[in-house]
PDB file of all heavy atoms in Angstrom:
ATOM      1  N   THR A 942      -0.095 -25.131   0.539  1.00  0.00           N
ATOM      2  CA  THR A 942      -1.167 -25.121  -0.489  1.00  0.00           C
ATOM      3  C   THR A 942      -1.169 -23.738  -1.215  1.00  0.00           C
ATOM      4  O   THR A 942      -0.390 -22.819  -0.776  1.00  0.00           O
ATOM      5  CB  THR A 942      -2.569 -25.231   0.263  1.00  0.00           C
ATOM      6  OG1 THR A 942      -2.757 -24.030   1.098  1.00  0.00           O
ATOM      7  CG2 THR A 942      -2.538 -26.533   1.173  1.00  0.00           C
ATOM      8  N   HIS A 943      -2.023 -23.680  -2.268  1.00  0.00           N
ATOM      9  CA  HIS A 943      -2.097 -22.420  -3.066  1.00  0.00           C
ATOM     10  C   HIS A 943      -2.493 -21.242  -2.129  1.00  0.00           C
ATOM     11  O   HIS A 943      -2.047 -20.139  -2.225  1.00  0.00           O
ATOM     12  CB  HIS A 943      -3.072 -22.624  -4.190  1.00  0.00           C
ATOM     13  CG  HIS A 943      -3.173 -21.348  -5.005  1.00  0.00           C
ATOM     14  ND1 HIS A 943      -2.273 -20.839  -5.837  1.00  0.00           N
ATOM     15  CD2 HIS A 943      -4.249 -20.647  -5.137  1.00  0.00           C
ATOM     16  CE1 HIS A 943      -2.548 -19.827  -6.400  1.00  0.00           C
ATOM     17  NE2 HIS A 943      -3.841 -19.577  -6.046  1.00  0.00           N
ATOM     18  N   ASP A 944      -3.537 -21.473  -1.292  1.00  0.00           N
ATOM     19  CA  ASP A 944      -4.012 -20.395  -0.399  1.00  0.00           C
ATOM     20  C   ASP A 944      -2.976 -20.028   0.678  1.00  0.00           C
ATOM     21  O   ASP A 944      -2.722 -18.884   0.887  1.00  0.00           O
ATOM     22  CB  ASP A 944      -5.206 -20.936   0.388  1.00  0.00           C
ATOM     23  CG  ASP A 944      -6.533 -20.942  -0.472  1.00  0.00           C
ATOM     24  OD1 ASP A 944      -6.385 -20.364  -1.481  1.00  0.00           O
ATOM     25  OD2 ASP A 944      -7.528 -21.547  -0.051  1.00  0.00           O
ATOM     26  N   GLN A 945      -2.134 -21.011   1.133  1.00  0.00           N
ATOM     27  CA  GLN A 945      -1.059 -20.662   2.069  1.00  0.00           C
ATOM     28  C   GLN A 945       0.078 -19.886   1.371  1.00  0.00           C
ATOM     29  O   GLN A 945       0.567 -18.938   1.978  1.00  0.00           O
ATOM     30  CB  GLN A 945      -0.449 -21.947   2.590  1.00  0.00           C
ATOM     31  CG  GLN A 945      -1.319 -22.581   3.557  1.00  0.00           C
ATOM     32  CD  GLN A 945      -0.857 -24.003   4.038  1.00  0.00           C
ATOM     33  OE1 GLN A 945      -0.233 -24.796   3.197  1.00  0.00           O
ATOM     34  NE2 GLN A 945      -0.911 -24.389   5.218  1.00  0.00           N
ATOM     35  N   GLU A 946       0.293 -20.141   0.077  1.00  0.00           N
ATOM     36  CA  GLU A 946       1.273 -19.335  -0.571  1.00  0.00           C
ATOM     37  C   GLU A 946       0.831 -17.939  -0.865  1.00  0.00           C
ATOM     38  O   GLU A 946       1.442 -17.049  -0.689  1.00  0.00           O
ATOM     39  CB  GLU A 946       1.555 -20.017  -2.009  1.00  0.00           C
ATOM     40  CG  GLU A 946       2.529 -21.222  -1.920  1.00  0.00           C
ATOM     41  CD  GLU A 946       3.989 -20.693  -1.558  1.00  0.00           C
ATOM     42  OE1 GLU A 946       4.322 -19.565  -1.890  1.00  0.00           O
ATOM     43  OE2 GLU A 946       4.725 -21.485  -1.087  1.00  0.00           O
ATOM     44  N   LEU A 947      -0.501 -17.728  -1.067  1.00  0.00           N
ATOM     45  CA  LEU A 947      -1.061 -16.526  -1.316  1.00  0.00           C
ATOM     46  C   LEU A 947      -1.021 -15.681  -0.023  1.00  0.00           C
ATOM     47  O   LEU A 947      -0.682 -14.497  -0.014  1.00  0.00           O
ATOM     48  CB  LEU A 947      -2.487 -16.536  -1.825  1.00  0.00           C
ATOM     49  CG  LEU A 947      -2.757 -17.014  -3.234  1.00  0.00           C
ATOM     50  CD1 LEU A 947      -4.195 -17.063  -3.522  1.00  0.00           C
ATOM     51  CD2 LEU A 947      -2.021 -16.066  -4.166  1.00  0.00           C
ATOM     52  N   ILE A 948      -1.266 -16.353   0.976  1.00  0.00           N
ATOM     53  CA  ILE A 948      -1.256 -15.649   2.478  1.00  0.00           C
ATOM     54  C   ILE A 948       0.204 -15.386   2.746  1.00  0.00           C
ATOM     55  O   ILE A 948       0.437 -14.118   3.174  1.00  0.00           O
ATOM     56  CB  ILE A 948      -1.847 -16.423   3.460  1.00  0.00           C
ATOM     57  CG1 ILE A 948      -3.376 -16.621   3.261  1.00  0.00           C
ATOM     58  CG2 ILE A 948      -1.535 -15.852   4.808  1.00  0.00           C
ATOM     59  CD1 ILE A 948      -4.061 -17.778   4.123  1.00  0.00           C
ATOM     60  N   SER A 949       1.048 -16.204   2.402  1.00  0.00           N
ATOM     61  CA  SER A 949       2.488 -15.795   2.640  1.00  0.00           C
ATOM     62  C   SER A 949       3.004 -14.629   1.839  1.00  0.00           C
ATOM     63  O   SER A 949       3.696 -13.784   2.211  1.00  0.00           O
ATOM     64  CB  SER A 949       3.417 -17.077   2.363  1.00  0.00           C
ATOM     65  OG  SER A 949       4.741 -16.836   2.335  1.00  0.00           O
ATOM     66  N   ASP A 950       2.531 -14.650   0.569  1.00  0.00           N
ATOM     67  CA  ASP A 950       2.917 -13.519  -0.378  1.00  0.00           C
ATOM     68  C   ASP A 950       2.351 -12.235   0.194  1.00  0.00           C
ATOM     69  O   ASP A 950       2.963 -11.227   0.205  1.00  0.00           O
ATOM     70  CB  ASP A 950       2.447 -13.768  -1.783  1.00  0.00           C
ATOM     71  CG  ASP A 950       3.209 -14.880  -2.504  1.00  0.00           C
ATOM     72  OD1 ASP A 950       4.243 -15.486  -2.021  1.00  0.00           O
ATOM     73  OD2 ASP A 950       2.712 -15.366  -3.416  1.00  0.00           O
ATOM     74  N   LEU A 951       1.118 -12.319   0.649  1.00  0.00           N
ATOM     75  CA  LEU A 951       0.462 -11.065   1.164  1.00  0.00           C
ATOM     76  C   LEU A 951       1.208 -10.497   2.354  1.00  0.00           C
ATOM     77  O   LEU A 951       1.431  -9.428   2.451  1.00  0.00           O
ATOM     78  CB  LEU A 951      -1.007 -11.408   1.481  1.00  0.00           C
ATOM     79  CG  LEU A 951      -1.860 -10.285   2.113  1.00  0.00           C
ATOM     80  CD1 LEU A 951      -1.988  -9.099   1.077  1.00  0.00           C
ATOM     81  CD2 LEU A 951      -3.156 -10.792   2.517  1.00  0.00           C
ATOM     82  N   VAL A 952       1.498 -11.504   3.260  1.00  0.00           N
ATOM     83  CA  VAL A 952       2.288 -11.039   4.496  1.00  0.00           C
ATOM     84  C   VAL A 952       3.654 -10.418   4.116  1.00  0.00           C
ATOM     85  O   VAL A 952       4.008  -9.395   4.616  1.00  0.00           O
ATOM     86  CB  VAL A 952       2.354 -12.172   5.523  1.00  0.00           C
ATOM     87  CG1 VAL A 952       3.217 -11.756   6.541  1.00  0.00           C
ATOM     88  CG2 VAL A 952       1.013 -12.562   6.011  1.00  0.00           C
ATOM     89  N   ALA A 953       4.336 -11.084   3.209  1.00  0.00           N
ATOM     90  CA  ALA A 953       5.558 -10.566   2.720  1.00  0.00           C
ATOM     91  C   ALA A 953       5.465  -9.161   2.097  1.00  0.00           C
ATOM     92  O   ALA A 953       6.276  -8.276   2.461  1.00  0.00           O
ATOM     93  CB  ALA A 953       6.237 -11.595   1.691  1.00  0.00           C
ATOM     94  N   CYS A 954       4.489  -8.960   1.217  1.00  0.00           N
ATOM     95  CA  CYS A 954       4.285  -7.662   0.728  1.00  0.00           C
ATOM     96  C   CYS A 954       3.938  -6.642   1.806  1.00  0.00           C
ATOM     97  O   CYS A 954       4.515  -5.565   1.682  1.00  0.00           O
ATOM     98  CB  CYS A 954       3.169  -7.792  -0.323  1.00  0.00           C
ATOM     99  SG  CYS A 954       3.597  -8.642  -1.916  1.00  0.00           S
ATOM    100  N   GLN A 955       3.162  -7.043   2.728  1.00  0.00           N
ATOM    101  CA  GLN A 955       2.776  -6.026   3.759  1.00  0.00           C
ATOM    102  C   GLN A 955       4.097  -5.562   4.561  1.00  0.00           C
ATOM    103  O   GLN A 955       4.170  -4.439   4.883  1.00  0.00           O
ATOM    104  CB  GLN A 955       1.789  -6.516   4.698  1.00  0.00           C
ATOM    105  CG  GLN A 955       0.488  -6.811   4.231  1.00  0.00           C
ATOM    106  CD  GLN A 955      -0.577  -7.471   5.022  1.00  0.00           C
ATOM    107  OE1 GLN A 955      -0.164  -8.456   5.718  1.00  0.00           O
ATOM    108  NE2 GLN A 955      -1.949  -7.169   4.941  1.00  0.00           N
ATOM    109  N   LEU A 956       4.941  -6.562   4.811  1.00  0.00           N
ATOM    110  CA  LEU A 956       6.170  -6.321   5.507  1.00  0.00           C
ATOM    111  C   LEU A 956       7.119  -5.282   4.752  1.00  0.00           C
ATOM    112  O   LEU A 956       7.656  -4.422   5.291  1.00  0.00           O
ATOM    113  CB  LEU A 956       6.901  -7.559   5.980  1.00  0.00           C
ATOM    114  CG  LEU A 956       6.243  -8.442   6.966  1.00  0.00           C
ATOM    115  CD1 LEU A 956       6.800  -9.753   7.052  1.00  0.00           C
ATOM    116  CD2 LEU A 956       6.137  -7.751   8.330  1.00  0.00           C
ATOM    117  N   VAL A 957       7.167  -5.646   3.503  1.00  0.00           N
ATOM    118  CA  VAL A 957       8.080  -4.759   2.624  1.00  0.00           C
ATOM    119  C   VAL A 957       7.448  -3.377   2.624  1.00  0.00           C
ATOM    120  O   VAL A 957       8.276  -2.460   2.703  1.00  0.00           O
ATOM    121  CB  VAL A 957       8.222  -5.397   1.276  1.00  0.00           C
ATOM    122  CG1 VAL A 957       8.952  -4.368   0.360  1.00  0.00           C
ATOM    123  CG2 VAL A 957       9.077  -6.649   1.394  1.00  0.00           C
ATOM    124  N   ILE A 958       6.154  -3.243   2.332  1.00  0.00           N
ATOM    125  CA  ILE A 958       5.468  -1.956   2.210  1.00  0.00           C
ATOM    126  C   ILE A 958       5.750  -1.246   3.508  1.00  0.00           C
ATOM    127  O   ILE A 958       6.094   0.099   3.486  1.00  0.00           O
ATOM    128  CB  ILE A 958       4.059  -2.181   1.823  1.00  0.00           C
ATOM    129  CG1 ILE A 958       3.803  -2.601   0.420  1.00  0.00           C
ATOM    130  CG2 ILE A 958       3.123  -0.832   2.168  1.00  0.00           C
ATOM    131  CD1 ILE A 958       2.463  -2.995  -0.011  1.00  0.00           C
TER     132      ILE A 958
END
Side-chain angles (χ1 to χ4, degrees):
T942 67
H943 181 67
D944 286 347
Q945 289 171 321
E946 278 295 333
L947 288 175
I948 292 168
S949 175
D950 291 349
L951 177 64
V952 171
C954 289
Q955 289 172 328
L956 291 169
V957 170
I958 289 168

